[in-house]
Amino acid sequence: MANIMIRRDSKGSYQFYLPKRDLEDTIVSMEFDTQEKWGGEIKLNNGGTYYIEPQVAPARLPYSVRAKRLDAAE
């Protein structure tokens, strides 16, 4: 599992950042994106897939959380 940071860009899209690899990319889909349930499987623009344990949506962004890599970018 890796520590990642999620924030919103100026267009309102979620941005994914993995400091250990200096990887920054746009999140194209998130399995759960409601106030009550946020996270699950997230897919990046580069094709990578990560998993965040579903939880209550964070009160504010940027937000640091642990994520598991399911599939690396090609």
Side-chain angles (χ1 to χ4, degrees), residues 3-58:
N3 289 319
I4 64 162
M5 184 185 73
I6 295 178
R7 65 177 181 87
R8 286 211 188 256
D9 64 13
S10 60
K11 298 175 187 173
S13 300
Y14 284 118
Q15 291 292 309
F16 172 98
Y17 180 61
L18 178 59
K20 191 172 186 177
R21 296 195 178 155
D22 196 29
L23 169 66
E24 186 169 359
D25 202 2
T26 302
I27 295 174
V28 294
S29 71
M30 184 179 292
E31 186 175 7
F32 304 108
D33 191 13
T34 66
Q35 194 64 27
E36 299 80 29
K37 197 171 188 181
W38 184 87
E41 188 174 289
I42 59 174
K43 294 185 182 187
L44 305 180
N45 193 45
N46 70 7
T49 306
Y50 287 79
Y51 182 80
I52 299 171
E53 193 65 40
Q55 57 192 290
V56 174

